[in-house]
PDB file of all heavy atoms in Angstrom:
ATOM      1  N   LEU A   1      25.381 158.126 180.258  1.00  0.00           N
ATOM      2  CA  LEU A   1      24.677 159.417 180.629  1.00  0.00           C
ATOM      3  C   LEU A   1      23.666 159.093 181.724  1.00  0.00           C
ATOM      4  O   LEU A   1      23.016 158.096 181.748  1.00  0.00           O
ATOM      5  CB  LEU A   1      23.891 159.945 179.439  1.00  0.00           C
ATOM      6  CG  LEU A   1      24.704 160.277 178.155  1.00  0.00           C
ATOM      7  CD1 LEU A   1      23.748 160.717 177.084  1.00  0.00           C
ATOM      8  CD2 LEU A   1      25.667 161.419 178.569  1.00  0.00           C
ATOM      9  N   ASN A   2      23.705 159.881 182.753  1.00  0.00           N
ATOM     10  CA  ASN A   2      22.690 159.737 183.760  1.00  0.00           C
ATOM     11  C   ASN A   2      22.222 161.092 184.336  1.00  0.00           C
ATOM     12  O   ASN A   2      22.733 162.098 183.972  1.00  0.00           O
ATOM     13  CB  ASN A   2      23.380 158.794 184.795  1.00  0.00           C
ATOM     14  CG  ASN A   2      24.467 159.481 185.625  1.00  0.00           C
ATOM     15  OD1 ASN A   2      24.393 160.582 186.028  1.00  0.00           O
ATOM     16  ND2 ASN A   2      25.650 158.686 185.587  1.00  0.00           N
ATOM     17  N   GLY A   3      21.334 160.927 185.315  1.00  0.00           N
ATOM     18  CA  GLY A   3      20.634 162.159 185.878  1.00  0.00           C
ATOM     19  C   GLY A   3      21.571 163.030 186.644  1.00  0.00           C
ATOM     20  O   GLY A   3      21.284 164.269 187.000  1.00  0.00           O
ATOM     21  N   GLY A   4      22.732 162.587 186.943  1.00  0.00           N
ATOM     22  CA  GLY A   4      23.759 163.367 187.772  1.00  0.00           C
ATOM     23  C   GLY A   4      24.872 163.968 186.976  1.00  0.00           C
ATOM     24  O   GLY A   4      25.617 164.868 187.479  1.00  0.00           O
ATOM     25  N   ASN A   5      25.000 163.568 185.630  1.00  0.00           N
ATOM     26  CA  ASN A   5      26.125 164.083 184.916  1.00  0.00           C
ATOM     27  C   ASN A   5      25.744 164.923 183.623  1.00  0.00           C
ATOM     28  O   ASN A   5      26.682 165.253 182.937  1.00  0.00           O
ATOM     29  CB  ASN A   5      27.118 163.038 184.573  1.00  0.00           C
ATOM     30  CG  ASN A   5      26.662 162.011 183.612  1.00  0.00           C
ATOM     31  OD1 ASN A   5      25.602 162.230 182.984  1.00  0.00           O
ATOM     32  ND2 ASN A   5      27.407 160.968 183.389  1.00  0.00           N
ATOM     33  N   CYS A   6      24.548 165.230 183.527  1.00  0.00           N
ATOM     34  CA  CYS A   6      24.080 165.913 182.270  1.00  0.00           C
ATOM     35  C   CYS A   6      23.303 167.137 182.704  1.00  0.00           C
ATOM     36  O   CYS A   6      22.308 166.995 183.533  1.00  0.00           O
ATOM     37  CB  CYS A   6      23.220 165.027 181.351  1.00  0.00           C
ATOM     38  SG  CYS A   6      24.075 163.647 180.755  1.00  0.00           S
ATOM     39  N   GLN A   7      23.537 168.279 182.171  1.00  0.00           N
ATOM     40  CA  GLN A   7      22.867 169.516 182.495  1.00  0.00           C
ATOM     41  C   GLN A   7      21.798 169.833 181.471  1.00  0.00           C
ATOM     42  O   GLN A   7      21.952 169.502 180.262  1.00  0.00           O
ATOM     43  CB  GLN A   7      23.767 170.774 182.569  1.00  0.00           C
ATOM     44  CG  GLN A   7      24.764 170.546 183.763  1.00  0.00           C
ATOM     45  CD  GLN A   7      25.786 171.702 183.702  1.00  0.00           C
ATOM     46  OE1 GLN A   7      26.315 172.010 182.687  1.00  0.00           O
ATOM     47  NE2 GLN A   7      26.106 172.201 184.945  1.00  0.00           N
ATOM     48  N   ILE A   8      20.709 170.465 181.977  1.00  0.00           N
ATOM     49  CA  ILE A   8      19.603 170.962 181.061  1.00  0.00           C
ATOM     50  C   ILE A   8      20.128 172.120 180.271  1.00  0.00           C
ATOM     51  O   ILE A   8      20.567 173.180 180.838  1.00  0.00           O
ATOM     52  CB  ILE A   8      18.297 171.252 181.819  1.00  0.00           C
ATOM     53  CG1 ILE A   8      17.840 170.027 182.563  1.00  0.00           C
ATOM     54  CG2 ILE A   8      17.231 171.893 180.936  1.00  0.00           C
ATOM     55  CD1 ILE A   8      16.707 170.343 183.620  1.00  0.00           C
ATOM     56  N   ILE A   9      20.056 171.949 178.909  1.00  0.00           N
ATOM     57  CA  ILE A   9      20.502 173.096 178.082  1.00  0.00           C
ATOM     58  C   ILE A   9      19.432 173.745 177.250  1.00  0.00           C
ATOM     59  O   ILE A   9      19.523 174.796 176.709  1.00  0.00           O
ATOM     60  CB  ILE A   9      21.721 172.682 177.199  1.00  0.00           C
ATOM     61  CG1 ILE A   9      21.301 171.573 176.268  1.00  0.00           C
ATOM     62  CG2 ILE A   9      22.956 172.399 178.067  1.00  0.00           C
ATOM     63  CD1 ILE A   9      22.365 171.375 175.138  1.00  0.00           C
ATOM     64  N   ASN A  10      18.282 173.020 177.126  1.00  0.00           N
ATOM     65  CA  ASN A  10      17.231 173.524 176.376  1.00  0.00           C
ATOM     66  C   ASN A  10      15.922 172.691 176.743  1.00  0.00           C
ATOM     67  O   ASN A  10      16.061 171.591 177.359  1.00  0.00           O
ATOM     68  CB  ASN A  10      17.416 173.247 174.875  1.00  0.00           C
ATOM     69  CG  ASN A  10      16.534 174.096 173.906  1.00  0.00           C
ATOM     70  OD1 ASN A  10      15.777 174.889 174.480  1.00  0.00           O
ATOM     71  ND2 ASN A  10      16.634 173.938 172.709  1.00  0.00           N
ATOM     72  N   LYS A  11      14.774 173.259 176.543  1.00  0.00           N
ATOM     73  CA  LYS A  11      13.510 172.682 176.862  1.00  0.00           C
ATOM     74  C   LYS A  11      12.447 173.002 175.882  1.00  0.00           C
ATOM     75  O   LYS A  11      12.507 174.039 175.179  1.00  0.00           O
ATOM     76  CB  LYS A  11      13.083 173.036 178.264  1.00  0.00           C
ATOM     77  CG  LYS A  11      13.018 174.452 178.539  1.00  0.00           C
ATOM     78  CD  LYS A  11      12.786 174.814 180.033  1.00  0.00           C
ATOM     79  CE  LYS A  11      12.962 176.263 180.211  1.00  0.00           C
ATOM     80  NZ  LYS A  11      12.822 176.696 181.610  1.00  0.00           N
ATOM     81  N   THR A  12      11.546 172.027 175.593  1.00  0.00           N
ATOM     82  CA  THR A  12      10.482 172.246 174.639  1.00  0.00           C
ATOM     83  C   THR A  12       9.159 171.826 175.299  1.00  0.00           C
ATOM     84  O   THR A  12       9.070 170.752 175.902  1.00  0.00           O
ATOM     85  CB  THR A  12      10.735 171.261 173.433  1.00  0.00           C
ATOM     86  OG1 THR A  12      12.037 171.534 172.798  1.00  0.00           O
ATOM     87  CG2 THR A  12       9.659 171.513 172.304  1.00  0.00           C
ATOM     88  N   LEU A  13       8.191 172.610 175.170  1.00  0.00           N
ATOM     89  CA  LEU A  13       6.922 172.382 175.768  1.00  0.00           C
ATOM     90  C   LEU A  13       6.004 171.613 174.756  1.00  0.00           C
ATOM     91  O   LEU A  13       5.820 171.985 173.555  1.00  0.00           O
ATOM     92  CB  LEU A  13       6.144 173.683 176.102  1.00  0.00           C
ATOM     93  CG  LEU A  13       4.761 173.685 176.652  1.00  0.00           C
ATOM     94  CD1 LEU A  13       4.795 172.922 178.004  1.00  0.00           C
ATOM     95  CD2 LEU A  13       4.195 175.045 176.873  1.00  0.00           C
ATOM     96  N   ASN A  14       5.478 170.486 175.167  1.00  0.00           N
ATOM     97  CA  ASN A  14       4.607 169.671 174.460  1.00  0.00           C
ATOM     98  C   ASN A  14       3.258 169.639 175.181  1.00  0.00           C
ATOM     99  O   ASN A  14       3.053 170.110 176.253  1.00  0.00           O
ATOM    100  CB  ASN A  14       5.108 168.175 174.317  1.00  0.00           C
ATOM    101  CG  ASN A  14       6.355 168.279 173.358  1.00  0.00           C
ATOM    102  OD1 ASN A  14       6.292 168.629 172.296  1.00  0.00           O
ATOM    103  ND2 ASN A  14       7.545 167.772 173.945  1.00  0.00           N
ATOM    104  N   GLU A  15       2.289 169.027 174.525  1.00  0.00           N
ATOM    105  CA  GLU A  15       0.919 168.956 175.094  1.00  0.00           C
ATOM    106  C   GLU A  15       0.890 168.245 176.452  1.00  0.00           C
ATOM    107  O   GLU A  15       0.233 168.657 177.400  1.00  0.00           O
ATOM    108  CB  GLU A  15       0.029 168.230 174.090  1.00  0.00           C
ATOM    109  CG  GLU A  15      -1.452 168.332 174.589  1.00  0.00           C
ATOM    110  CD  GLU A  15      -2.432 167.811 173.503  1.00  0.00           C
ATOM    111  OE1 GLU A  15      -2.176 168.011 172.309  1.00  0.00           O
ATOM    112  OE2 GLU A  15      -3.433 167.050 173.887  1.00  0.00           O
ATOM    113  N   ASP A  16       1.605 167.087 176.599  1.00  0.00           N
ATOM    114  CA  ASP A  16       1.523 166.374 177.810  1.00  0.00           C
ATOM    115  C   ASP A  16       2.836 166.324 178.559  1.00  0.00           C
ATOM    116  O   ASP A  16       2.973 165.586 179.675  1.00  0.00           O
ATOM    117  CB  ASP A  16       1.057 164.935 177.522  1.00  0.00           C
ATOM    118  CG  ASP A  16       1.983 164.183 176.654  1.00  0.00           C
ATOM    119  OD1 ASP A  16       2.881 164.755 175.947  1.00  0.00           O
ATOM    120  OD2 ASP A  16       1.879 162.876 176.769  1.00  0.00           O
ATOM    121  N   ARG A  17       3.883 166.952 178.209  1.00  0.00           N
ATOM    122  CA  ARG A  17       5.190 166.987 178.844  1.00  0.00           C
ATOM    123  C   ARG A  17       6.055 168.074 178.391  1.00  0.00           C
ATOM    124  O   ARG A  17       5.820 168.739 177.464  1.00  0.00           O
ATOM    125  CB  ARG A  17       5.878 165.633 178.609  1.00  0.00           C
ATOM    126  CG  ARG A  17       6.318 165.439 177.246  1.00  0.00           C
ATOM    127  CD  ARG A  17       7.021 164.093 177.047  1.00  0.00           C
ATOM    128  NE  ARG A  17       7.628 164.091 175.691  1.00  0.00           N
ATOM    129  CZ  ARG A  17       7.547 163.133 174.814  1.00  0.00           C
ATOM    130  NH1 ARG A  17       6.687 162.134 175.038  1.00  0.00           N
ATOM    131  NH2 ARG A  17       8.196 163.150 173.679  1.00  0.00           N
ATOM    132  N   VAL A  18       7.146 168.246 179.135  1.00  0.00           N
ATOM    133  CA  VAL A  18       8.219 169.222 178.759  1.00  0.00           C
ATOM    134  C   VAL A  18       9.455 168.291 178.489  1.00  0.00           C
ATOM    135  O   VAL A  18       9.825 167.442 179.297  1.00  0.00           O
ATOM    136  CB  VAL A  18       8.589 170.254 179.849  1.00  0.00           C
ATOM    137  CG1 VAL A  18       9.730 171.037 179.410  1.00  0.00           C
ATOM    138  CG2 VAL A  18       7.397 171.140 180.088  1.00  0.00           C
ATOM    139  N   ASP A  19      10.033 168.454 177.304  1.00  0.00           N
ATOM    140  CA  ASP A  19      11.196 167.631 176.909  1.00  0.00           C
ATOM    141  C   ASP A  19      12.502 168.500 177.224  1.00  0.00           C
ATOM    142  O   ASP A  19      12.380 169.681 176.997  1.00  0.00           O
ATOM    143  CB  ASP A  19      11.206 167.343 175.371  1.00  0.00           C
ATOM    144  CG  ASP A  19      10.219 166.360 175.011  1.00  0.00           C
ATOM    145  OD1 ASP A  19       9.822 165.472 175.865  1.00  0.00           O
ATOM    146  OD2 ASP A  19       9.646 166.437 173.933  1.00  0.00           O
ATOM    147  N   PHE A  20      13.556 167.761 177.732  1.00  0.00           N
ATOM    148  CA  PHE A  20      14.798 168.560 178.025  1.00  0.00           C
ATOM    149  C   PHE A  20      15.853 167.944 177.093  1.00  0.00           C
ATOM    150  O   PHE A  20      15.972 166.842 176.841  1.00  0.00           O
ATOM    151  CB  PHE A  20      15.180 168.236 179.447  1.00  0.00           C
ATOM    152  CG  PHE A  20      14.185 168.702 180.467  1.00  0.00           C
ATOM    153  CD1 PHE A  20      13.580 167.928 181.334  1.00  0.00           C
ATOM    154  CD2 PHE A  20      13.886 169.980 180.626  1.00  0.00           C
ATOM    155  CE1 PHE A  20      12.647 168.307 182.321  1.00  0.00           C
ATOM    156  CE2 PHE A  20      12.946 170.586 181.508  1.00  0.00           C
ATOM    157  CZ  PHE A  20      12.359 169.656 182.345  1.00  0.00           C
ATOM    158  N   ARG A  21      16.743 168.913 176.638  1.00  0.00           N
ATOM    159  CA  ARG A  21      18.018 168.586 175.955  1.00  0.00           C
ATOM    160  C   ARG A  21      18.939 168.740 176.886  1.00  0.00           C
ATOM    161  O   ARG A  21      19.069 169.724 177.602  1.00  0.00           O
ATOM    162  CB  ARG A  21      18.149 169.555 174.759  1.00  0.00           C
ATOM    163  CG  ARG A  21      19.294 169.288 173.941  1.00  0.00           C
ATOM    164  CD  ARG A  21      19.186 168.035 173.161  1.00  0.00           C
ATOM    165  NE  ARG A  21      20.278 167.811 172.208  1.00  0.00           N
ATOM    166  CZ  ARG A  21      20.142 167.628 171.014  1.00  0.00           C
ATOM    167  NH1 ARG A  21      18.978 167.682 170.435  1.00  0.00           N
ATOM    168  NH2 ARG A  21      21.237 167.558 170.213  1.00  0.00           N
ATOM    169  N   LEU A  22      19.928 167.713 177.086  1.00  0.00           N
ATOM    170  CA  LEU A  22      20.910 167.665 178.050  1.00  0.00           C
ATOM    171  C   LEU A  22      22.294 167.606 177.469  1.00  0.00           C
ATOM    172  O   LEU A  22      22.481 167.104 176.345  1.00  0.00           O
ATOM    173  CB  LEU A  22      20.650 166.390 178.865  1.00  0.00           C
ATOM    174  CG  LEU A  22      19.306 166.139 179.520  1.00  0.00           C
ATOM    175  CD1 LEU A  22      19.159 164.741 180.104  1.00  0.00           C
ATOM    176  CD2 LEU A  22      18.943 167.163 180.459  1.00  0.00           C
ATOM    177  N   ARG A  23      23.268 168.063 178.212  1.00  0.00           N
ATOM    178  CA  ARG A  23      24.629 167.968 177.697  1.00  0.00           C
ATOM    179  C   ARG A  23      25.528 167.600 178.896  1.00  0.00           C
ATOM    180  O   ARG A  23      25.443 168.280 179.973  1.00  0.00           O
ATOM    181  CB  ARG A  23      25.135 169.247 177.018  1.00  0.00           C
ATOM    182  CG  ARG A  23      26.529 169.141 176.596  1.00  0.00           C
ATOM    183  CD  ARG A  23      27.016 170.343 175.776  1.00  0.00           C
ATOM    184  NE  ARG A  23      26.215 170.551 174.608  1.00  0.00           N
ATOM    185  CZ  ARG A  23      25.781 171.720 174.315  1.00  0.00           C
ATOM    186  NH1 ARG A  23      26.039 172.793 174.959  1.00  0.00           N
ATOM    187  NH2 ARG A  23      25.095 171.827 173.148  1.00  0.00           N
ATOM    188  N   ARG A  24      26.418 166.610 178.663  1.00  0.00           N
ATOM    189  CA  ARG A  24      27.367 166.335 179.813  1.00  0.00           C
ATOM    190  C   ARG A  24      28.591 167.311 179.504  1.00  0.00           C
ATOM    191  O   ARG A  24      29.151 167.384 178.426  1.00  0.00           O
ATOM    192  CB  ARG A  24      27.857 164.905 179.650  1.00  0.00           C
ATOM    193  CG  ARG A  24      28.787 164.607 180.729  1.00  0.00           C
ATOM    194  CD  ARG A  24      29.090 163.093 180.831  1.00  0.00           C
ATOM    195  NE  ARG A  24      29.407 162.441 179.500  1.00  0.00           N
ATOM    196  CZ  ARG A  24      29.399 161.210 179.259  1.00  0.00           C
ATOM    197  NH1 ARG A  24      28.866 160.356 180.066  1.00  0.00           N
ATOM    198  NH2 ARG A  24      29.746 160.714 178.033  1.00  0.00           N
ATOM    199  N   GLU A  25      28.875 168.061 180.506  1.00  0.00           N
ATOM    200  CA  GLU A  25      29.885 169.053 180.425  1.00  0.00           C
ATOM    201  C   GLU A  25      31.273 168.531 180.135  1.00  0.00           C
ATOM    202  O   GLU A  25      32.116 169.156 179.320  1.00  0.00           O
ATOM    203  CB  GLU A  25      30.006 169.955 181.725  1.00  0.00           C
ATOM    204  CG  GLU A  25      30.769 171.181 181.677  1.00  0.00           C
ATOM    205  CD  GLU A  25      30.652 172.016 182.836  1.00  0.00           C
ATOM    206  OE1 GLU A  25      29.521 172.217 183.358  1.00  0.00           O
ATOM    207  OE2 GLU A  25      31.753 172.513 183.282  1.00  0.00           O
ATOM    208  N   SER A  26      31.612 167.370 180.725  1.00  0.00           N
ATOM    209  CA  SER A  26      33.002 166.823 180.513  1.00  0.00           C
ATOM    210  C   SER A  26      33.419 166.528 179.062  1.00  0.00           C
ATOM    211  O   SER A  26      34.594 166.687 178.756  1.00  0.00           O
ATOM    212  CB  SER A  26      33.194 165.552 181.347  1.00  0.00           C
ATOM    213  OG  SER A  26      32.312 164.506 180.929  1.00  0.00           O
TER     214      SER A  26
END
């Protein structure tokens, strides 16, 4: 998994960051 093959499918706001849930389409 890398930054070029996974798309953002969800996000969660935290106090000091935003977390992303990713999914590789293939």
Side-chain angles (χ1 to χ4, degrees):
L1 298 177
N2 63 54
N5 69 7
C6 298
Q7 296 176 315
I8 298 169
I9 60 169
N10 199 1
K11 51 191 171 179
T12 305
L13 180 62
N14 291 301
E15 188 173 319
D16 66 339
R17 68 180 193 230
V18 173
D19 291 329
F20 297 120
R21 181 69 173 237
L22 310 171
R23 180 177 296 136
R24 185 167 53 198
E25 191 172 318
S26 64

